[in-house]
Amino acid sequence: MTLARVAVIGVLVVAVVAVGIVLFGGGGTTHYTLIFQNASQLVNDDDVQVGGRRVGSVTSIELTDHNQAAVGIDLEDGFVPLHRGTSAVVRLTSLSGVANRYIALTPGPSNEPEIEDGATLDANDTTSAVDLDQLFNTLDAKTRKELFDGVVPGT
């Protein structure tokens, strides 16, 4: 085997290893737990977005001892660490479906202290989604009837 062939084989091996690292590893995630009043119909693998771009996903949803939703999220390395002042809101992508929720993060100022990997953002920093039927359920029957008279047939 000539020196040129050995060099070409060496370059190919390095290229294959580099592609493998890019595709199957190298990029880590950071985990946070967000405490919401309720889970707002979130499901595992729903998006976590910053400025409309997916930066992570929902990894777990559990009930706390205080009957709140503890939502685990993993964020990609390029968007961490979060800083104190970060807030999270459950948003709806549209009104036409049930499993159409995502978490919109608003990162805190970068001059604030960092939030460590594995930390929890409490309910003061989060907002659950409010569905339209929840809003209407706050009205009494008479008000709902007057509101919908002539708008919805049969009411």
Side-chain angles (χ1 to χ4, degrees):
M1 218 190 280
T2 67
L3 185 59
R5 284 187 180 183
V6 170
V8 168
I9 291 172
V11 168
L12 286 174
V13 168
V14 169
V16 168
V17 169
V19 168
I21 289 172
V22 169
L23 291 177
F24 302 110
T29 58
T30 301
H31 183 79
Y32 295 101
T33 301
L34 310 175
I35 305 297
F36 289 95
Q37 289 297 321
N38 64 64
S40 300
Q41 299 180 17
L42 286 168
V43 295
N44 283 343
D45 205 39
D46 274 348
D47 286 355
V48 176
Q49 298 181 5
V50 172
R53 179 174 181 213
R54 181 182 168 117
V55 298
S57 63
V58 173
T59 58
S60 65
I61 302 169
E62 298 176 2
L63 188 63
T64 69
D65 293 338
H66 300 292
N67 294 324
Q68 294 178 317
V71 178
I73 62 169
D74 282 345
L75 300 180
E76 299 168 5
D77 275 346
F79 300 94
V80 291
L82 296 177
H83 295 268
R84 187 174 296 148
T86 296
S87 62
V89 179
V90 177
R91 301 227 184 257
L92 288 69
T93 55
S94 72
L95 294 176
S96 63
V98 175
N100 63 346
R101 310 290 203 249
Y102 68 95
I103 296 174
L105 282 181
T106 303
S110 59
N111 62 346
E112 289 291 327
E114 293 181 1
I115 301 173
E116 300 290 323
D117 184 7
T120 299
L121 275 73
D122 66 20
N124 294 328
D125 298 318
T126 64
T127 305
S128 299
V130 177
D131 290 314
L132 200 53
D133 62 339
Q134 290 174 309
L135 174 67
F136 290 138
N137 286 342
T138 64
L139 306 174
D140 63 13
K142 180 180 180 234
T143 305
R144 282 195 306 264
K145 180 172 179 4
E146 290 173 359
L147 180 66
F148 292 116
D149 260 356
V151 176
V152 179
T155 58

